[in-house]
């Protein structure tokens, strides 16, 4: 069973052929997809996709790029939206100091609101982090010490120290098409040390298409290339990689019934 844990099918890149993209995913053996919320303004479209397809579930959250749109976002607002059917996670949320499209203090405030929503709902937190390792590690340690919550380091490409901190807090990690990029040896080195029972795979489509499709629009059917690369990196057979990542997926997203 193959699962794509992070898709953005509501994105405008899919407006012309969204149904065909979903059909191709199924033909490739992708049995489940998690449609990710990146802003509250598009949450209705995200949720509608999950409601319309039995193999698609969704999250609710605000990406750090969009934090400036909801600077006073409350945990209660997120928790209320998360009570809807087929919502299985909080996020995508976090810190992105590479682009700084939202002020850093606003990013942090909104991120903490997501953390509290994850506590309120018991749902896993889908975390985006880029060039913010120190601030992310400090925030995770502080918040987890106050009251634990479950977390997923999505599309992990940050350093080994943050990975170790997150792993100590029980984090799961998702591997994306970046693992297939020729210049991503540092990413592959971190993947080799990730907890074997807490790794899942994703496309983050329409972004980050894996080799041999790099540079094109990504889609869920291509998650098979990520799975193959993960197996190679970890020294697993393809069957073992599929079994391990699927088991970890259901351990993390436990609101989704196991088949």
């Amino acid at each position: 069973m193959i699962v794509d844990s992070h898709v953005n099918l509501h994105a405008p890149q899919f407006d012309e052929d969204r149904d065909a993209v979903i059909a191709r995913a199924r033909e490739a053996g992708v049995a489940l997809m998690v449609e990710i919320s990146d802003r509250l303004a598009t949450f209705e479209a995200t949720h509608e996709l999950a409601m319309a397809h039995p193999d698609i579930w969704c999250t609710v959250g605000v990406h750090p790029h969009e934090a400036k749109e909801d600077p006073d976002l409350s945990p209660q607002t997120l928790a209320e939206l998360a009570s809807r059917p087929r919502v299985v996670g909080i996020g995508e949320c976090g810190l992105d100091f590479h682009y700084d499209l939202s002020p850093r203090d606003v990013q942090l405030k909104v991120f903490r609101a997501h953390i509290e929503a994850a506590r309120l709902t018991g749902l896993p937190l889908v975390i985006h982090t880029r060039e913010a390792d120190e601030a992310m590690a400090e925030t995770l340690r502080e918040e987890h010490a106050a009251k634990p919550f479950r977390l997923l380091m999505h599309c992990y490409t940050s350093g080994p120290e943050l990975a170790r901190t997150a792993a100590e807090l029980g984090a799961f990690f998702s591997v994306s098409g970046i693992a297939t990029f020729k210049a991503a040896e540092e990413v592959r080195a971190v993947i080799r040390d990730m907890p074997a029972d807490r790794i899942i795979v994703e496309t983050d489509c329409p972004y980050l298409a894996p080799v041999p499709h790099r540079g094109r629009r990504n889609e869920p059917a291509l998650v098979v290339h990520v799975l193959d690369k993960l197996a190679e990196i970890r020294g697993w057979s393809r069957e073992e990689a599929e079994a391990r990542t699927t088991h970890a997926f259901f351990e993390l997203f436990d609101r989704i019934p196991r088949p």
Side-chain angles (χ1 to χ4, degrees):
M1 183 179 183
I2 303 171
V3 176
D4 188 345
S5 66
H6 199 108
V7 302
N8 300 283
L9 293 172
H10 67 282
Q13 290 92 326
F14 295 117
D15 284 351
E16 299 299 320
D17 62 346
R18 188 169 287 108
D19 289 343
V21 167
I22 294 170
R24 281 195 294 272
R26 293 166 178 159
E27 291 167 5
V30 180
L32 287 174
M33 293 165 269
V34 179
E35 159 70 11
I36 300 296
S37 172
D38 57 358
R39 63 179 72 182
L40 295 191
T42 57
F43 174 68
E44 293 302 333
T46 290
H47 189 247
E48 285 172 11
L49 277 166
M51 294 299 291
H53 301 278
D55 49 357
I56 298 179
W57 302 74
C58 73
T59 66
V60 58
V62 178
H63 192 286
H65 290 345
E66 318 300 338
K68 61 183 179 296
E69 294 185 3
D70 291 284
D72 297 316
L73 180 68
S74 74
Q76 291 74 23
T77 295
L78 290 166
E80 181 178 351
L81 292 171
S83 68
R84 293 189 187 184
R86 305 191 70 79
V87 179
V88 298
I90 303 295
E92 173 181 1
C93 60
L95 303 173
D96 193 311
F97 295 171
H98 176 75
Y99 288 109
D100 279 327
L101 295 183
S102 289
R104 294 184 180 185
D105 61 330
V106 174
Q107 290 188 47
L108 185 56
K109 180 183 177 183
V110 172
F111 181 37
R112 290 185 188 275
H114 284 79
I115 292 172
E116 181 58 22
R119 294 190 186 110
L120 290 172
T121 61
L123 295 176
L125 191 69
V126 180
I127 296 175
H128 169 106
T129 182
R130 187 171 185 187
E131 295 183 18
D133 289 25
E134 186 176 337
M136 178 59 71
E138 180 181 353
T139 303
L140 291 179
R141 284 193 296 264
E142 177 185 323
E143 291 286 353
H144 209 272
K147 186 177 181 181
F149 53 94
R150 296 189 296 142
L151 62 154
L152 167 67
M153 306 302 286
H154 130 74
C155 186
Y156 192 82
T157 58
S158 294
E161 291 185 10
L162 175 57
R164 283 191 289 270
T165 295
E168 290 169 1
L169 299 178
F172 285 66
F173 296 83
S174 66
V175 175
S176 73
I178 291 175
T180 70
F181 296 177
K182 183 177 180 180
E185 183 51 43
E186 291 182 1
V187 171
R188 289 187 283 273
V190 173
I191 291 171
R192 292 185 187 101
D193 289 335
M194 288 176 178
D197 60 343
R198 286 184 261 147
I199 303 175
I200 62 179
V201 291
E202 64 165 280
T203 57
D204 199 12
C205 66
Y207 317 107
L208 306 178
V211 174
H213 302 276
R214 188 176 182 186
R216 307 175 199 170
R217 184 190 67 174
N218 200 3
E219 59 180 74
L222 303 184
V223 76
V224 295
H225 298 290
V226 181
L227 196 58
D228 287 340
K229 192 64 177 183
L230 174 62
E232 176 189 319
I233 293 168
R234 295 295 303 225
W236 298 337
S237 68
R238 166 61 184 274
E239 292 74 18
E240 182 180 5
E242 189 173 318
R244 283 183 176 274
T245 55
T246 300
H247 178 76
F249 173 84
F250 284 111
E251 287 291 301
L252 179 66
F253 290 104
D254 55 1
R255 187 177 279 187
I256 301 177
R258 294 176 185 258

